[in-house]
Amino acid sequence: ELKVEQNPLFLSMQEGKNYTIYCNYSTTSDRLYWYRQDPGKSLESLFVLLSNGAVKQEGRLMASLDTKARLSTLHITAAVHDLSATYFCVTTALGGSQGNLIFGKGTKLSVKP
Amino acid sequence: DSGVTQTPKHLITATGQRVTLRCSPRSGDLSVYWYQQSLDQGLQFLIQYYNGEERAKGNILERFSAQQFPDLHSELNLSSLELGDSALYFCASSTVPRSDTGELFFGEGSRLTVL
């Protein structure tokens, strides 16, 4: 059974600081996503990582994928308050239904002034 | 705005009752997915429909059923409701059964409270 583990689950940061969220998944997968969710709101796709060594950046966020280690990271650079949200690491089982996304528990990020 | 529309946004009902949640996918998307988000279980895949046919099933209870209509909108029916069914139910859509990226676009969700 494919499992996704994120850490930390809670992260309180000061504005301007850097931090990394880690995501490990238990079995082989060919794709990894990062989604963002604001409280009580929908899920917004941030990054789609489709190959080993993939690195994508958008603003202050950068995501990477190491399929051999079954590890993805989400790096936050110079955090700002607007980044406060819950971030989910998501994947699918290799060969499984595309829509059967397996979500991690999420990392609740709080950026304080 | 993802383009996926869900109604109602909020629903309060009693145990034993039945409710229907509705979803309209993004224009042109043929696949619809239903997810449940609860505090104890997190986000779980329930079921997928593609162009009117069931394509994949996840952790969907027998008390729950779904369908996708010819106009591609979908409905999730929840019956014999229990307190534990209280959750946020998301609908998502994507293009073909397996798009290049597998990226899903989520609606705003329907928050169900069972009292």
Side-chain angles (χ1 to χ4, degrees), chain B residues 29-91:
Chain B
D29 283 357
L30 301 179
S31 280
V32 169
Y33 312 79
W34 287 96
Y35 281 80
Q36 179 194 58
Q37 184 176 32
S38 62
L39 283 175
D40 53 344
Q41 297 290 332
L43 273 150
Q44 290 194 100
F45 168 67
L46 295 179
I47 197 164
Q48 175 196 357
Y49 277 81
Y50 171 70
N51 204 19
E53 294 190 359
E54 182 183 306
R55 182 59 69 107
K57 240 177 183 177
N59 298 321
I60 188 166
L61 298 172
E62 285 191 9
R63 299 183 286 109
F64 297 179
S65 65
Q67 52 185 330
Q68 185 179 27
F69 295 86
D71 67 353
L72 300 178
H73 91 270
S74 178
E75 293 181 355
L76 179 66
N77 301 296
L78 315 174
S79 62
S80 303
L81 286 167
E82 302 175 359
L83 296 178
D85 297 328
S86 296
L88 192 52
Y89 291 86
F90 285 107
C91 171

Side-chain angles (χ1 to χ4, degrees), chain A residues 7-73:
Chain A
N7 72 85
L9 296 182
F10 298 93
L11 179 54
S12 181
M13 295 177 65
Q14 283 202 307
E15 281 191 330
K17 297 295 187 182
N18 305 332
Y19 205 83
T20 300
I21 299 170
Y22 295 88
C23 170
N24 288 94
Y25 51 98
S26 59
T27 63
T28 303
S29 177
D30 63 351
R31 53 196 63 209
L32 194 294
Y33 312 92
W34 285 94
Y35 278 83
R36 168 181 170 148
Q37 185 180 34
D38 292 305
K41 300 294 187 181
S42 183
L43 293 138
E44 175 191 2
S45 175
L46 295 176
F47 298 107
V48 180
L49 304 168
L50 299 176
S51 60
N52 186 41
V55 177
K56 291 197 173 180
Q57 183 162 6
E58 180 72 34
R60 301 174 188 273
L61 300 177
M62 183 173 70
S64 68
L65 178 62
D66 180 344
T67 58
K68 293 178 182 177
R70 297 179 190 156
L71 170 69
S72 180
T73 62

Side-chain angles (χ1 to χ4, degrees), chain A residues 89-108:
Chain A
C89 174
V90 188
T91 189
T92 64
L94 191 63
S97 165
Q98 169 184 301
N100 189 354
L101 299 181
I102 309 298
F103 283 77
K105 291 186 183 298
T107 296
K108 187 171 183 179

